[in-house]
Amino acid sequence: GFFDTSFGIVNLNTTEDAKVQLTFMGESGVIGTHRVTIPAGRRTTVNAASVLGNNTVLATVIESDKGMVADRLIKWGGNGYGSQVDAGAAAPSNTWYLAEGSTGLFQLYYLLLNPGLNPAQVTVKYLREGAGPITKVYNVPAQSRSTVFVNLADLGLVLAAVGAEITSTQPIVAERAMYFSVNRVFDAGTGAMGVPQLATQWQFAESSTGPFFDEFVSLLNPSTTATATATLTFHLVGGGTLTRSYPVPPERRRTVYLNLEALN
């Protein structure tokens, strides 16, 4: 329908074919499977609509008897004026974190996949910038996917810069989709998988500021008691560095606008 979803799968084994199965899960259970054999060292593309037809809401579990890499491309708007690509999660987890998210001008969604055989009770603690946390509980049936429209999840989330700590009674996969609409439905959009554990160090190779790009770093501190100090070291063209530190209060998210840092 409005969206077109396809999966790129690469067989990393250079000598043996890979037998791959895609299991598609909707909002109330498994809605289809598809099997494909990928020759050694080759890549194939599976289009979801060609297997399931149009107008289907789905999550996907991809399994292989050989080592493989899979990513997902979503295009939307008939002629594909919008698109985003993301790699899948290697495994489900009972805990997920999402640092970036914004409502108001954006439409923000959390996508929750429960690939297991038992229902999952999922607790989402929304960690806002400049305000306290909001906690909601969602039930995700076995082998199903659920969608949370964050903008309408609570009055305190109608206009918010927000991240999340997501915990579940069963291993799940949590992902974020965010869209921006001006002249058309979803003029632009981005998707990102959550991360299953916290870390004291993160590294990003890509950044660019200036008249064409706006660059932001989102910081999330899920601790209930301790303020985190995040030190950002920017590696500049020519070999120099610039260092800045930012306190992030407990159960809060903080945004750093790099374009302004370049002026300070």
Side-chain angles (χ1 to χ4, degrees), residues 103-127:
T103 60
L105 294 177
F106 296 90
Q107 295 86 52
L108 177 63
Y109 299 86
Y110 290 165
L111 302 317
L112 308 174
L113 166 64
N114 174 14
L117 300 177
N118 297 307
Q121 185 179 81
V122 181
T123 300
V124 180
K125 183 187 287 188
Y126 297 98
L127 304 178

Side-chain angles (χ1 to χ4, degrees), residues 165-189:
E165 178 185 48
I166 301 173
T167 55
S168 174
T169 58
Q170 301 291 329
I172 63 167
V173 175
E175 183 177 355
R176 183 213 77 223
M178 189 163 64
Y179 299 97
F180 181 70
S181 302
V182 179
N183 300 312
R184 299 169 294 189
V185 177
F186 299 165
D187 280 289

Side-chain angles (χ1 to χ4, degrees), residues 20-86:
V20 177
Q21 175 168 295
L22 295 88
T23 303
F24 303 105
M25 300 179 183
E27 294 182 337
S28 57
V30 175
I31 55 177
T33 59
H34 180 71
R35 292 179 179 178
V36 60
T37 298
I38 306 176
R42 301 289 295 275
R43 168 231 161 97
T44 193
T45 301
V46 177
N47 182 269
S50 66
V51 179
L52 302 172
N54 285 327
N55 302 313
T56 301
V57 175
L58 66 136
T60 310
V61 175
I62 304 176
E63 301 168 287
S64 173
D65 66 344
K66 301 292 186 300
M68 56 95 179
V69 173
D71 61 24
R72 181 204 59 219
L73 171 66
I74 299 178
K75 298 185 290 184
W76 61 85
N79 61 355
Y81 61 75
S83 66
Q84 61 100 345
V85 66
D86 197 13

Side-chain angles (χ1 to χ4, degrees), residues 10-261:
V10 177
N11 177 10
L12 298 179
N13 193 295
T14 58
T15 59
E16 297 180 277
D17 295 351
K19 293 180 172 61
V20 177
Q21 175 168 295
L22 295 88
T23 303
F24 303 105
M25 300 179 183
E27 294 182 337
S28 57
V30 175
I31 55 177
T33 59
H34 180 71
R35 292 179 179 178
V36 60
T37 298
I38 306 176
R42 301 289 295 275
R43 168 231 161 97
T44 193
T45 301
V46 177
N47 182 269
S50 66
V51 179
L52 302 172
N54 285 327
N55 302 313
T56 301
V57 175
L58 66 136
T60 310
V61 175
I62 304 176
E63 301 168 287
S64 173
D65 66 344
K66 301 292 186 300
M68 56 95 179
V69 173
D71 61 24
R72 181 204 59 219
L73 171 66
I74 299 178
K75 298 185 290 184
W76 61 85
N79 61 355
Y81 61 75
S83 66
Q84 61 100 345
V85 66
D86 197 13
S93 173
N94 292 86
T95 305
W96 293 92
Y97 300 95
L98 294 160
E100 168 65 326
S102 182
T103 60
L105 294 177
F106 296 90
Q107 295 86 52
L108 177 63
Y109 299 86
Y110 290 165
L111 302 317
L112 308 174
L113 166 64
N114 174 14
L117 300 177
N118 297 307
Q121 185 179 81
V122 181
T123 300
V124 180
K125 183 187 287 188
Y126 297 98
L127 304 178
R128 297 179 292 171
E129 192 156 346
I134 294 173
T135 301
K136 299 288 183 180
V137 178
Y138 305 95
N139 294 310
V140 184
Q143 294 188 306
S144 298
R145 159 249 170 99
S146 291
T147 303
V148 178
F149 184 29
V150 178
N151 297 56
L152 299 181
D154 188 272
L155 287 177
L157 297 170
V158 171
L159 184 61
V162 61
E165 178 185 48
I166 301 173
T167 55
S168 174
T169 58
Q170 301 291 329
I172 63 167
V173 175
E175 183 177 355
R176 183 213 77 223
M178 189 163 64
Y179 299 97
F180 181 70
S181 302
V182 179
N183 300 312
R184 299 169 294 189
V185 177
F186 299 165
D187 280 289
T190 176
M193 193 66 62
V195 295
Q197 59 186 14
L198 303 173
T200 56
Q201 186 177 92
W202 296 91
Q203 300 185 16
F204 298 93
E206 166 67 326
S207 287
S208 184
T209 60
F212 187 73
F213 290 100
D214 289 288
E215 185 82 18
F216 301 87
V217 173
S218 299
L219 306 170
L220 187 74
N221 178 15
S223 170
T224 58
T225 58
T227 295
T229 299
T231 300
L232 276 64
T233 301
F234 307 106
H235 296 265
L236 309 175
V237 175
T241 61
L242 175 68
T243 300
R244 295 283 188 269
S245 294
Y246 308 90
V248 187
E251 296 187 312
R252 294 289 195 278
R253 165 246 167 97
R254 179 166 183 172
T255 304
V256 179
Y257 183 28
L258 298 191
N259 294 54
L260 292 182
E261 292 302 312

